[in-house]
Amino acid sequence: MDVAWALLGQQRYADAARQAQSILHRFPDNVSALACHAMAMWKGGGPIDASIAEIRRAVALAPAVPSLRHNLATLLASRGDIAPAAAEFREALRLKPDDTMAFYGLTQNHRFVEHEPLLDQMTALHGQTGLGDGPREFLAYGLAKAYDDLGVADKAMSYALEANRLGARPWDLAGEAAALEELAELARLDAFRRARSSGHPSRAPLFIVGMPRSGTTLVEAVLSRHPAVLTRGEASGLPNIENAALARLNPSRRRIGRHQLILDLDRDWLAARAETLLRQATAGASLAPHVITDKLPENAVRLGLAARLFPNARVVHVRRHPLDVGVSNFFQRFSHGQGYSNRLDWTGIRTRQIAESMAIWKRAIDLPILDLSYERFVEDPEGQARRLLDFAGLEWTPDVLEPQRTARAVLTASQWQVRQPIYRGSVARWKRYEPWLGPMIEAMGGFEWIDREAAAGLG
C-alpha cells in the first residue's frame, strides 16, 4: 500500500491503480486499497461514479476513518455534489477535530457568509505549538480562504503569507526567463513559420490557455455544455510530448532550449504523437466531437508545440486583471507545480512572462488566437459566449450560459467555483489587498505595465 500511495503522489495514476488492484485481488475489503484505487482511477480520467461507489464501500467498511470521508468529499465535489461534499468534510472534522486537511477541503467547497464557530475552533488549533508544518499549512490556507470570504483582508493575507511560507515549492526562475528570451529570438527570426509542416490536420483541438486562476475553467465549463464539444480538462498531452522529445536527445544536447527542441522534431514523429493524442482523447466517445478542448493554462508557453502537432488547431487566451490573477494564485494551494505562486514577487514575474509569451505567439505562429476577457465574460456572458462559440465553429445554444450544470468531473482547483452560476464577485478583488502587494506590483513592472495589460485584456 505504501508503494501504491507513493505512485499516486507521483501522478503515476495507472501504476497506482494497478498496484492497488493487485492488493484488492487478495484482500477485497482492504479500505486503503479501495481508497487508493478509487482516487487513482478518478485522477486518471476514469468514470467518477465508479470511483465514488468504491469510496462509499470503503466508508461503509470503516465509517470512523476521517481520511476516507474527505476522499469521498473530494470526489463528490468533483462531480458537482457540493452540499453532500461539505457534509462529508464536516463529518471528518467531527470524527477528528484537528483534521486540517478536512477543514481546508471544506473551505474550498463552501462560501463563508458569516463568522461560524468552526473558525474559532480552527483559530484555537492554529495557536497550538505542537501542530506540524504540514497540517498547519492546510489550516492556514483554509483560514485565509474563510477570512477572504468574510472580507477581513488583514487576517486573510496574514494566513495566506504563512500558508505560502510553509508550502513553498521550487520554481526555475532563471530557466523560465531564458525560455522567454529564446522564444523572442526565434520569433524574430520567424523560425516557427519556417519549420516544416507536420502533425495532424484535424481542426478539433482547441487549447484554452492563460495564467492559472484567470478563468480558463469557466471557459471550458461553458464549452462543456455544448453537445459537439468534448472537454478534456487539464490534459497532460503537450507536457508529456515535450518530455518525450527531450528524452530522445543525445545527453550532450539535453540543455537545448524548450522552443528550439520543438523546431528540431521531425514531422513523422510529430504526426504519430498527434494521432495518438486524438485517439486517446476520443476513446469511448459515442460521436466524433467537433471540438476537443485542452485547458492546461500553462500551455501558453507550449503553443509552438501545439502548432506543430495540430497546425489547424485554435487557441483561446483567457485574460484577467494581472493583480486579480496574482492574488488568486497566491491564495490557492496547488497540489503540484506552480511553485511561483508561493511568493508575491514570483507570481508577478510569472504573470508578466505569460502575457509576454502570448504577445510573441500572436506574431510568431499562424494558429488563430481569441482573446477572452474574464471581466467582459462575467459582465456579458451571452455576448462573450457567442464570440467563443463562433470562434470554435459551433452553433449557438443557450445551454452554455449555465456552466454550473456541467456534467463533467472537475479535477482542478476550481471545483467549487465552476459549480456556481456566472458571477462578478471576484472582479477587482485585488484592491482590498493592495497594501500587501508591493513585491508583486514591482515584479510586474509597476502600475504602468499593469494598467496597460489590464486595458489590453478588456479589448
Side-chain angles (χ1 to χ4, degrees), residues 144-156:
K145 164 62 164 58
Y147 283 107
D148 179 63
D149 285 350
L150 296 172
V152 186
D154 56 343
K155 285 189 176 182

Side-chain angles (χ1 to χ4, degrees), residues 62-79:
V65 176
S67 61
L68 296 177
R69 296 286 182 169
H70 38 85
N71 284 337
L72 175 57
T74 298
L75 293 177
L76 289 171
S78 176
R79 190 172 67 178

Side-chain angles (χ1 to χ4, degrees), residues 122-297:
M122 291 296 111
T123 302
L125 179 62
H126 181 269
Q128 294 181 11
T129 57
L131 196 63
D133 285 352
R136 187 176 293 278
E137 178 198 345
F138 280 99
L139 180 56
Y141 270 114
L143 288 168
K145 164 62 164 58
Y147 283 107
D148 179 63
D149 285 350
L150 296 172
V152 186
D154 56 343
K155 285 189 176 182
M157 181 54 83
S158 175
Y159 286 122
L161 288 164
E162 178 186 22
N164 280 283
R165 176 180 58 79
L166 292 170
R169 300 182 303 283
W171 181 57
D172 187 4
L173 172 62
E176 292 300 330
L180 181 57
E181 290 182 5
E182 178 197 27
L183 172 58
E185 177 61 15
L186 290 171
R188 186 185 67 80
L189 298 171
D190 204 24
F192 295 97
R193 287 195 178 90
R194 290 191 288 104
R196 296 181 67 192
S197 62
S198 59
H200 194 286
S202 173
R203 292 178 55 83
L206 186 149
F207 296 93
I208 305 170
V209 302
M211 272 291 288
R213 314 296 294 167
S214 63
T216 55
T217 301
L218 170 62
V219 169
E220 190 187 49
V222 166
L223 287 169
S224 76
R225 296 281 293 148
H226 197 288
V229 175
L230 174 65
T231 53
R232 296 280 293 160
E234 295 189 354
S236 58
L238 294 194
N240 288 346
I241 290 175
E242 193 176 69
N243 290 334
L246 187 63
R248 297 173 76 229
L249 290 178
N250 183 293
S252 64
R253 297 191 67 223
R254 289 287 171 84
R255 295 185 65 83
I256 188 173
R258 167 190 292 146
H259 303 294
Q260 186 62 56
L261 167 68
I262 300 311
L263 292 174
D264 291 348
L265 294 173
D266 66 80
R267 60 182 180 178
D268 291 338
W269 188 84
L270 284 163
R273 302 287 82 71
E275 178 66 36
T276 299
L277 278 185
L278 281 179
R279 187 172 63 250
Q280 291 173 342
T282 56
S286 55
L287 297 172
H290 184 76
V291 170
I292 303 170
T293 67
D294 178 340
K295 66 142 293 251
L296 187 65

